[in-house]
Amino acid sequence: MSDTDTSKYISLILRHKPSVIGITLDEHGWADVHDLIKGVSEKYPITMEDLERIVREDEKQRYSFNDDKTLIRANQGHSIPVDVELEEAEPPEILFHGTATKFEEAIDREGLIPKSRLYVHLFPDCETAEKVGKRQGQLVVYRIRSGEMHRDGYVFYRSVNGVWLIKAVPVQYMEKISG
């Protein structure tokens, strides 16, 4: 078993299905670290040191501990209703969203909507958007006029790992730049 497999399993638990290992998340998405380790270990044996390494080395910085490392949560990407205590933030003028061409027709018609997640994920650089989009198939990237959206009253949040989150992006603020 690899840290990647274990991290994917932890992501499933902390973002979508805590019930898989019989735990619950509080209203802010926090899980008890001891309970998480115990539950994950039934499928992927893991120690506190393993969990700390996974959190520290995760290139997307998906997870956060509380100050005394007794609680852990996913920073964003939830499909279950939690409030990860995001603060509103003024976005840069331009953000990017990468996805698969199989979603292109619906996006061109409806704009970006979160589907099963709570927020649409946007990135400050095209390269990250491309990397995320390629995971889903043939790539298409959209350039988002986020500064204009913000001035028009749309609320943006910035996750602790630098991902920008918003409830939706209407078509009029989007420009297809590849795909």
Side-chain angles (χ1 to χ4, degrees):
M1 119 223 56
S2 70
D3 278 358
T4 300
D5 293 335
T6 305
S7 182
K8 286 181 180 181
Y9 191 54
I10 291 168
S11 179
L12 170 76
I13 292 161
L14 294 179
R15 295 162 100 183
H16 311 293
K17 296 181 178 180
S19 61
V20 165
I21 62 168
I23 66 169
T24 57
L25 307 181
D26 74 10
E27 67 272 17
H28 300 295
W30 293 106
D32 179 273
V33 167
H34 175 76
D35 293 344
L36 179 76
I37 289 171
K38 182 179 174 189
V40 168
S41 289
E42 291 180 18
K43 183 169 184 171
Y44 298 105
I46 184 175
T47 65
M48 181 64 181
E49 292 75 25
D50 295 329
L51 183 60
E52 288 173 327
R53 183 181 63 254
I54 288 168
V55 170
R56 182 178 59 251
E57 295 178 0
D58 185 84
E59 68 178 30
K60 294 181 184 175
Q61 294 298 293
R62 287 182 185 95
Y63 316 107
S64 294
F65 285 113
N66 66 342
D67 289 339
D68 65 1
K69 294 187 179 180
T70 58
L71 300 173
I72 187 172
R73 72 176 172 193
N75 291 321
Q76 87 271 325
H78 299 84
S79 62
I80 54 177
V82 296
D83 172 11
V84 292
E85 305 168 290
L86 297 168
E87 291 187 26
E88 290 184 26
E90 183 175 345
E93 278 301 307
I94 301 297
L95 290 168
F96 299 90
H97 180 82
T99 191
T101 55
K102 63 186 173 189
F103 305 120
E104 189 174 1
E105 186 179 315
I107 290 170
D108 290 347
R109 185 177 58 249
E110 303 168 17
L112 293 169
I113 56 176
K115 296 283 187 184
S116 63
R117 296 200 177 172
L118 301 179
Y119 297 97
V120 172
H121 294 193
L122 304 174
F123 304 94
D125 61 279
C126 190
E127 295 77 22
T128 303
E130 288 173 351
K131 188 175 181 182
V132 169
K134 284 179 185 174
R135 292 192 320 236
Q136 302 174 42
Q138 183 72 28
L139 175 68
V140 61
V141 175
Y142 291 90
R143 182 178 182 267
I144 311 301
R145 293 190 309 279
S146 44
E148 182 182 341
M149 286 183 69
H150 185 259
R151 288 187 292 279
D152 288 348
Y154 289 87
V155 177
F156 285 80
Y157 303 94
R158 187 167 187 262
S159 181
V160 295
N161 63 357
V163 176
W164 287 89
L165 306 170
I166 189 163
K167 287 291 186 184
V169 178
V171 174
Q172 65 265 30
Y173 297 101
M174 300 169 38
E175 172 190 359
K176 199 178 319 178
I177 60 171
S178 71

